[in-house]
Amino acid sequence: RQSISVTLDTQPPGISWAGVPHKGWTNKVENVITGKVSEIATLTLNGANVPVSDDLKFSAAVKLTEGPNEIVLVAMDRAGNETRQSISVTLDTQPPGISWAGLPDKGWTNKVENIITGTVTEIASLTLNGASVLIGDDLKFSAAVKLTEGPNELVLVAMDRAGNESKQVINV
């Protein structure tokens, strides 16, 4: 008589990972994905094999292309159980554009209180001399500005979801 030992495994391996951009936007072309699997498994990242160390940890670089990208991790254990996890990430390497009106750049004015209006080219946060400016759903903004006697420097800074920043300085 012979006896055979067989282990039944119906549970897929777990995957925990980090290194993906916050909120699905980044301005980095190359990102390093690090993580750990819950048991001995083979692992792929976007179809390419990823080595898993004896302590079940892994690290791999993924290159993104401008626009939407999908990062897919697949782990398969010795019994053939599979876990698939994916995340969509948008690579945006271009800063948002800012256009404005309402004050003469390098000009003169006799108005103490002024309104600057303008638009940004994409969803972004906007500050004027460090103070937040509300941007509408139509990407337009309007901000009140109080000038002091003499030269005034106004700094508009827009930052998009990927962290790209553009800056415009208005001298009045």
Side-chain angles (χ1 to χ4, degrees):
R1 238 180 172 198
Q2 287 186 337
S3 66
I4 299 173
S5 177
V6 177
T7 302
L8 175 63
D9 177 3
T10 60
Q11 298 300 311
I15 308 172
S16 59
W17 50 307
V20 291
H22 180 64
K23 296 184 182 178
W25 288 83
T26 186
N27 57 11
K28 295 179 183 171
V29 172
E30 190 162 311
N31 295 265
V32 176
I33 307 297
T34 59
K36 188 173 184 175
V37 290
S38 62
E39 62 184 282
I40 295 172
T42 59
L43 185 68
T44 62
L45 172 63
N46 290 348
N49 288 327
V50 175
V52 177
S53 64
D54 292 340
D55 62 357
L56 305 179
K57 293 181 180 178
F58 62 89
S59 178
V62 62
K63 277 193 169 184
L64 304 176
T65 57
E66 192 76 21
N69 294 263
E70 187 172 14
I71 298 172
V72 180
L73 274 171
V74 178
M76 184 182 294
D77 67 16
R78 293 177 284 190
N81 299 306
E82 186 177 283
T83 298
R84 176 186 170 97
Q85 293 183 1
S86 65
I87 186 169
S88 294
V89 177
T90 300
L91 174 64
D92 175 5
T93 60
Q94 301 303 311
I98 307 170
S99 61
W100 58 271
L103 285 173
D105 189 29
K106 297 181 183 171
W108 293 77
T109 184
N110 60 1
K111 293 183 194 172
V112 173
E113 295 190 21
N114 297 270
I115 301 291
I116 294 178
T117 60
T119 59
V120 290
T121 57
E122 62 182 288
I123 295 172
S125 62
L126 183 67
T127 61
L128 174 59
N129 288 356
S132 290
V133 176
L134 183 64
I135 300 173
D137 291 340
D138 59 357
L139 304 180
K140 293 181 180 181
F141 65 87
S142 177
V145 157
K146 221 175 203 181
L147 301 177
T148 58
E149 189 71 29
N152 289 263
E153 181 177 84
L154 306 175
V155 181
L156 282 168
V157 178
M159 183 180 294
D160 67 18
R161 296 174 284 192
N164 300 304
E165 187 177 281
S166 60
K167 177 175 163 180
Q168 288 201 7
V169 177
I170 306 164
N171 293 294
V172 182

